[in-house]
Amino acid sequence: PLQRIVAARRAAEYRIDESAKRASLVWAYRPNPDLYSFALGYAQRLANGNTLVTFGPPGRVHEVTPASQRVWELALAPGLWIY
């Protein structure tokens, strides 16, 4: 039987070493519970060191600390997207 696999989304920051052609994961955030967003995701570092992460079609915005702890969340009404 076929199974549908839905991948969760995350925000990630990588350090790029161009001379070695290598990328190393520096930081990542994956919400709990998982959110699936096929498009319109975005992450922006804030002046306080936290990161604002958006999940477009689910209509969610999370502010997370450098330790990946959620400190703020916005949830739009069902059917509204963050763009």
Side-chain angles (χ1 to χ4, degrees), residues 55-75:
F55 301 90
R60 299 293 177 100
V61 179
H62 294 174
E63 180 181 345
V64 295
T65 67
S68 297
Q69 298 298 310
R70 187 180 326 159
V71 294
W72 182 81
E73 178 177 5
L74 170 70

Side-chain angles (χ1 to χ4, degrees), residues 2 5 9 11 13 42 45 56 59 61 71 83:
L2 294 175
I5 299 172
R9 297 300 183 240
E13 176 183 0
Y42 184 73
R45 187 66 36 86
V61 179
V71 294
Y83 181 71

Side-chain angles (χ1 to χ4, degrees), residues 3-82:
Q3 291 182 331
R4 183 175 177 197
I5 299 172
V6 177
R9 297 300 183 240
R10 68 178 182 154
E13 176 183 0
Y14 291 89
R15 178 175 293 114
I16 307 297
D17 182 339
E18 293 181 14
S19 61
K21 298 184 176 150
R22 186 170 302 159
S24 303
L25 182 65
V26 174
W27 177 87
Y29 169 70
R30 182 173 169 178
N32 185 11
D34 287 333
L35 286 173
Y36 173 72
S37 182
F38 67 90
L40 307 174
Y42 184 73
Q44 180 177 344
R45 187 66 36 86
L46 302 174
N48 65 1
N50 290 350
T51 304
L52 199 65
V53 182
T54 67
F55 301 90
R60 299 293 177 100
V61 179
H62 294 174
E63 180 181 345
V64 295
T65 67
S68 297
Q69 298 298 310
R70 187 180 326 159
V71 294
W72 182 81
E73 178 177 5
L74 170 70
L76 297 181
L80 297 178
W81 293 16
I82 302 288

